[in-house]
Amino acid sequence: MSSPEMPASRVDTTGESLGDLVSELTGDLSKLMRQELELAKAELREEASKAGKATGMLAAAGFAGYLTTVLLSFALVFALGAVMPLGWAALIVAVLWGIAGAVLYTSGRAKLRTVNPKPERTVATLKEDAEWAKHPTK
């Protein structure tokens, strides 16, 4: 009775045991995971750098807008100063800015009152999930 021959592709020529192969596979997977994490960290650092630069540009644009508003206000004061004393012209511009601030404040406060800090849909969904987990066959 002769034993069937194993195909050459299935013969273990390295002499490694199954434990050694599993250990090597585990090590390779661990190394792959570490490399993937390092890549993710590098990508996040790059994106954070881009976001930081963009934020700086937006802040500079906001500052430029602020300066424009201040200088236009001075221009309005001096334009009104051509037809009235500068003190009254400055007072008129200040009152205009006070009115604009009051309108923005009341509008913002009204919108803030409509904000609901409790995520109602999420809470309802979580309650449904908990109920399903208690009785999954219903």
Side-chain angles (χ1 to χ4, degrees):
M1 203 167 158
S2 68
S3 64
E5 289 192 27
M6 295 269 289
S9 62
R10 306 203 86 202
V11 175
D12 182 12
T13 59
T14 62
E16 293 184 76
S17 70
L18 181 60
D20 291 339
L21 292 174
V22 169
S23 175
E24 186 178 332
L25 177 64
T26 305
D28 288 346
L29 285 174
S30 176
K31 182 179 177 182
L32 178 63
M33 291 304 294
R34 281 193 302 273
Q35 288 174 340
E36 289 294 329
L37 283 173
E38 288 301 317
L39 177 61
K41 286 179 187 178
E43 287 177 349
L44 286 174
R45 277 191 295 269
E46 183 178 334
E47 292 303 313
S49 174
K50 285 182 193 176
K53 289 176 185 175
T55 301
M57 289 178 185
L58 289 174
F63 183 69
Y66 168 75
L67 286 178
T68 301
T69 303
V70 168
L71 292 174
L72 286 174
S73 295
F74 281 135
L76 180 58
V77 167
F78 287 117
L80 290 174
V83 293
M84 65 179 67
L86 279 177
W88 286 108
L91 182 63
I92 290 171
V93 172
V95 167
L96 289 175
W97 276 114
I99 292 170
V103 168
L104 289 170
Y105 172 78
T106 55
S107 171
R109 198 170 102 194
K111 286 188 184 285
L112 192 58
R113 287 184 176 155
T114 65
V115 173
N116 186 2
K118 184 178 177 183
E120 293 178 7
R121 288 184 294 183
T122 302
V123 170
T125 304
L126 287 173
K127 286 180 181 179
E128 288 173 11
D129 291 347
E131 188 62 33
W132 179 84
K134 289 179 185 175
H135 309 287
T137 56
K138 284 187 178 182

